[in-house]
């Protein structure tokens, strides 16, 4: 049976890769895309979600959500990484479809309530929509099958600050609520996504496989890769968001640990995720008071990158 999932996303070049996997993979039943600001403003995120779905020949509901963080001011979009249009500033075809009248949070609540215990939420952007869904209906905690969140960092350090990963930094207050809500959650963070590199050779296969969708993935990849080459000295790019789907479908490629998570919401460490392993005593109990979750610590990066390329090609 395919996994019924909702992807909460800010597409975004690596989001587009993850969305394409979800649209194409036979083991995934994509029930909807919910959008948030992050890599782009939320209207652009919605446009790109609709576009990717149409390019794959699918009619997937898209519900627009958070335009800004819960508390802090919105940080400018990283146009040097994803381009102004989120897809590497490629010229894009027009979109025919429209977003749902419902908000992203309402879409999540309604869909999960129709199929309690069955649906996995995969978040690959700032998590304001998940926080809003919890506020609308706290019973989500018991009704989702699981939550897989691309975000955070346990031992790896940050990518937008010395200690914070982008999705957590963009809305640390929402992240704090979502990561400590008490639902079954796995964090797929930089500890594993930085081990994976999608290369030009992978992308050549993907581009050759999917017509216009392949061209959009390849063209946006080229822009994203320039950033990785210039700023990180990597020849290729980290497919952060696809790693959340790799964990869902190929968990044997990852090593996880169970424990307690917290998110720093202010000061120089804002957006940092703090992990206290289960059963480990510290000088005070305050780091071990939140519900238990799983975090990814290690992965076979080559195997995950290959899985991503195979899924798209
Ligand atoms: O830190 C990586 C995350 O930030 C990914 O979700 C990427 O799309 C960016 O939003
Ligand atoms: Ca993202």
């Amino acid at each position: 049976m395919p996994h019924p999932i909702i992807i909460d996303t800010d597409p975004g070049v690596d989001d587009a890769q993850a969305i394409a996997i979800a649209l194409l993979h036979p083991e995934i039943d994509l029930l909807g895309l919910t959008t948030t600001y992050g890599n782009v403003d939320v209207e652009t995120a919605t446009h790109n979600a609709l576009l990717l779905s149409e390019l794959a020949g699918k009619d997937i509901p898209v519900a627009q959500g958070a335009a800004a963080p819960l508390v802090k001011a919105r940080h400018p979009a990283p146009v040097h990484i994803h381009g102004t249009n989120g897809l590497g500033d490629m010229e894009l075809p027009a979109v025919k479809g429209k977003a749902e009248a419902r908000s992203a949070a309402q879409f999540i609540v309604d869909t999960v309530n129709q199929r309690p215990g069955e649906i996995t939420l995969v978040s690959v952007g700032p998590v304001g929509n998940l926080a809003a869904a919890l506020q609308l209906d706290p019973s989500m905690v018991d009704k989702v099958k699981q939550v897989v969140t691309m975000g955070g960092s346990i031992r790896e350090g940050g990518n937008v600050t010395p200690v914070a990963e982008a999705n957590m930094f963009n809305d640390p207050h929402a992240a704090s609520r979502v990561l400590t809500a008490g639902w079954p959650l796995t964090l797929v963070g930089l500890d594993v996504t930085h081990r994976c590199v999608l290369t030009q050779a992978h992308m050549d296969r993907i581009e050759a496989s999917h017509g216009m969708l392949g061209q959009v993935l390849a063209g946006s990849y080229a822009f994203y890769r320039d950033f990785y080459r210039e700023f990180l000295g990597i020849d290729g790019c980290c497919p952060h968001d696809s790693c959340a789907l790799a964990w869902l479908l190929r968990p044997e490629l990852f090593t996880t640990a169970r424990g307690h998570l917290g998110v720093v919401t202010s000061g120089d460490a804002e957006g940092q995720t703090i992990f206290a392993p289960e059963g480990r005593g510290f000088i005070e109990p305050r780091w071990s008071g939140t519900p238990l979750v799983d975090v990814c610590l290690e992965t076979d990066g080559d195997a995950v990158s290959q899985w991503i390329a195979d899924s798209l090609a």
Side-chain angles (χ1 to χ4, degrees), residues 24 39 57 80-81 95 152 163 177 211 233 248 260 264 277 282 289-290 305:
L24 298 170
N39 292 326
H80 60 299
I81 304 177
V95 159
V163 295
R177 290 189 198 176
L248 182 65
H260 311 269
V264 179
F282 291 102
T290 55
S305 305

Side-chain angles (χ1 to χ4, degrees), residues 14-15 17-19 21 122-124 148-151 186-198 228 237-251 253-254 296 298-309 312:
D14 61 319
D15 301 70
Q17 296 159 1
I19 291 168
I21 292 175
V122 179
S123 73
V124 296
V148 185
T149 291
M150 188 282 125
T186 300
L187 195 75
V188 182
L190 299 179
D191 305 85
V192 293
T193 68
H194 276 175
R195 306 284 90 76
C196 305
V197 179
L198 205 60
Y228 276 90
C237 72
C238 296
H240 299 281
D241 293 345
S242 299
C243 291
L245 295 175
W247 182 84
L248 182 65
L249 296 188
R250 297 294 304 275
L253 297 178
F254 297 81
C296 291
E298 290 168 20
T299 190
D300 179 342
D302 289 345
V304 170
S305 305
Q306 193 60 44
W307 179 87
I308 291 167
L312 285 171

